[in-house]
């Protein structure tokens, strides 16, 4: 991997696109954490604790809390997108520090990408439960989807 040359003035910050990539990469790690925390804090906006999925009032809970649940899910999805960008940044930095073939960077990136995919898959089930068409979801179906 070829890196841009360091500036001639003796600073250690790379110039041009490489410097922008480094700043954006580091920022996306913080952005991912911030969005994840914001999503977690949205639990306080719910009308009460999550009922058991087999509870007959589960569908009413989802209808009453549709907006905060959707907002929470979207924050977690955006957090995952930022995390994926951050993982690319970390992989690029690790590749500079390790020898070919870059085993550590590949493992770190692969594990992180798998975690991102699983998070988005889990959010898809939660988003599906809050769709307007699910207002009269049978408790058995809600329990099965919630268990995903």
């Amino acid at each position: 991997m070829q890196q841009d040359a360091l500036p001639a003035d003796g600073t250690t910050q790379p110039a041009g696109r490489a410097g922008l990539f480094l700043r954006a990469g580091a920022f996306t790690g913080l952005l991912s954490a911030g969005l994840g925390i914001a999503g977690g804090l949205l639990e306080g906006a719910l009308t009460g604790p999550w009922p058991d999925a087999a509870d007959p009032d589960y569908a009413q809970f989802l209808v009453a809390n549709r907006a905060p649940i959707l907002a929470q899910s979207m924050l977690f999805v955006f957090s995952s997108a930022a995390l994926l960008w951050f993982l690319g940044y970390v992989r690029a930095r690790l590749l500079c520090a390790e020898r070919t073939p870059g085993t550590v960077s590949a493992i770190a990136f692969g594990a992180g990408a798998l975690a991102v995919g699983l998070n988005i898959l889990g959010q898809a089930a939660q988003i599906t439960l809050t769709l307007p068409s699910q207002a009269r979801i049978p408790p058995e179906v809600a329990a099965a989807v919630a268990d995903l």
Side-chain angles (χ1 to χ4, degrees):
M1 173 183 241
Q2 181 179 356
Q3 291 186 347
D4 291 349
L6 292 176
D9 62 3
T11 62
T12 59
Q13 293 296 318
R17 291 184 306 167
L20 179 62
F21 177 73
L22 292 176
R23 286 189 297 275
F27 174 73
T28 56
L30 296 172
L31 179 64
S32 175
L35 289 171
I37 290 169
L41 291 175
L42 276 177
E43 285 287 322
L46 300 176
T47 59
W50 281 82
D52 185 46
D55 189 339
D57 294 331
Y58 190 69
Q60 287 77 20
F61 175 82
L62 293 173
V63 170
N65 293 288
R66 181 175 188 268
I69 292 172
L70 281 176
Q72 179 185 51
S73 291
M74 293 312 296
L75 283 171
F76 286 143
V77 167
F78 292 142
S79 172
S80 292
L83 179 61
L84 191 59
W85 183 276
F86 178 68
L87 289 169
Y89 162 75
V90 170
R91 181 172 188 262
R93 297 294 289 179
L94 284 174
L95 279 173
C96 292
E98 68 177 326
R99 295 183 191 173
T100 305
T103 305
V104 173
S105 61
I107 291 171
F109 185 79
L114 179 64
V116 165
L118 290 174
N119 184 7
I120 291 174
L121 185 63
Q123 296 308 314
Q126 186 166 306
I127 291 170
T128 300
L129 285 173
T130 61
L131 294 174
S133 62
Q134 302 302 324
R136 295 192 178 131
I137 188 168
E140 302 83 27
V141 174
V145 174
D147 286 342
L148 293 176

